[in-house]
Amino acid sequence: MKEEALKVIEEVLKSGRTSLVEYEAKQVLKAYGLPVPEEKLAKTLDEALKYAEEIGYPVAMKLMSPQILHKSDAKVVLLNIKTPEELKEKWELIHENARKYRPDAEILGVLIAPMLKVGREIIIGVTEDPQFGHALMFGLGGIFVEVLKDVTFRIVPITERDARKMIREIKSYPILAGARGEEPADIDAIVNLLLKVSELVDDLDEYIKEMDLNPVFVYEKGKGAVVVDARIILKG
């Protein structure tokens, strides 16, 4: 678990970077059993076509570059690619968009990912306080975090009781509990995510500076959750 995550982290540090691209961040999460999609990093068009066949169309394409952290701004996330012909066209487009945004960007490859069913969006974050250590943040994603700032914090490590209290104490908890006749979200899956992130950060506290899992899609009770995007910043 820790050894597997450290391999990824040490490779990134050796390359002179402190910021993991999404693919690398998800490898670290996967080592700790967090739910991430079955994605593959394609370095050539042929690899992209092969991986898309293996995953099954439609797929999403996300260009991985250490210099392009805000992928949507650079238009290097392309969704719902339905055929090999479309993938070939989009392969050119995604590289052209990257070159326009950052001509000097180092391109590590293109992540080929399955199109996911949209769920209720949550955010899980980690920041480091010089006095108290790492703090775990939880809240609903989207407008709730950007506008309402409806989030809660605990110092790592947390217990299951802490995780359940964090989930219940945000103002928008009724959305997860099942407001207006909606099915409740999979609260146990969120608890599991918070505990695993806490364990990961506690184990790797000498390396991790910041972490953002945003968004995470949470499905109906019993149907789990999946980390859609992830960012990890290491200590310099």
Side-chain angles (χ1 to χ4, degrees):
M1 207 156 58
K2 182 175 179 178
E3 291 71 23
E4 223 174 303
L6 275 178
K7 275 185 201 168
V8 179
I9 288 173
E10 282 165 1
E11 281 301 313
V12 171
L13 290 173
K14 266 187 217 167
S15 72
R17 290 187 279 126
T18 54
S19 177
L20 279 66
V21 297
E22 179 184 338
Y23 177 71
E24 294 161 338
K26 283 180 173 170
Q27 294 303 302
V28 172
L29 299 179
K30 197 174 175 184
Y32 276 80
L34 277 101
V36 297
E38 285 302 318
E39 303 169 329
K40 298 191 175 185
L41 187 67
K43 296 190 175 176
T44 65
L45 174 58
D46 285 344
E47 281 184 354
L49 289 164
K50 178 174 171 267
Y51 295 156
E53 283 298 336
E54 288 171 4
I55 290 167
Y57 290 96
V59 295
M61 299 171 71
K62 301 178 182 181
L63 184 134
M64 298 289 108
S65 168
Q67 288 79 37
I68 304 177
L69 295 180
H70 300 290
K71 295 186 288 296
S72 296
D73 293 351
K75 299 180 182 169
V76 294
V77 176
L78 303 177
L79 304 176
N80 210 24
I81 315 294
K82 295 188 181 72
T83 64
E85 290 70 30
E86 193 180 350
L87 189 146
K88 287 178 192 171
E89 285 173 24
K90 296 293 168 66
W91 180 267
E92 293 304 321
L93 178 63
I94 204 168
H95 284 83
E96 191 183 318
N97 289 348
R99 286 192 294 270
K100 279 183 191 166
Y101 185 78
R102 270 294 292 264
D104 62 337
E106 179 192 4
I107 295 170
L108 303 181
V110 175
L111 204 56
I112 305 298
M115 288 298 299
L116 299 170
K117 178 190 165 195
V118 176
R120 272 166 272 196
E121 292 186 18
I122 62 165
I123 180 171
I124 296 175
V126 173
T127 54
E128 189 178 29
D129 181 275
Q131 190 175 355
F132 299 107
H134 286 100
L136 184 65
M137 179 192 79
F138 167 75
L140 286 196
I143 190 171
F144 295 98
V145 68
E146 290 168 13
V147 179
L148 303 179
K149 302 191 188 308
D150 183 16
V151 294
T152 184
F153 292 87
R154 289 291 187 287
I155 297 298
V156 169
I158 63 165
T159 64
E160 181 177 339
R161 188 178 176 202
D162 293 326
R164 292 193 184 277
K165 280 183 82 174
M166 288 176 80
I167 296 165
R168 284 197 303 271
E169 70 193 18
I170 60 170
K171 291 174 196 153
S172 37
Y173 171 67
I175 291 172
L176 295 173
R180 299 195 170 196
E182 276 198 334
E183 287 290 318
D186 197 331
I187 301 294
D188 287 342
I190 304 174
V191 170
N192 190 43
L193 277 165
L194 290 168
L195 291 173
K196 284 185 187 297
V197 172
S198 170
E199 182 186 6
L200 185 161
V201 174
D202 198 33
D203 267 5
L204 303 173
D205 67 334
E206 62 187 296
Y207 296 96
I208 304 290
K209 183 180 178 187
E210 292 174 28
M211 181 186 296
D212 271 313
L213 314 185
N214 183 30
V216 177
F217 286 166
V218 182
Y219 301 112
E220 292 81 14
K221 186 177 179 180
K223 296 187 177 174
V226 63
V227 178
V228 180
D229 201 352
R231 182 177 70 97
I232 295 177
I233 307 290
L234 303 173
K235 295 178 186 178

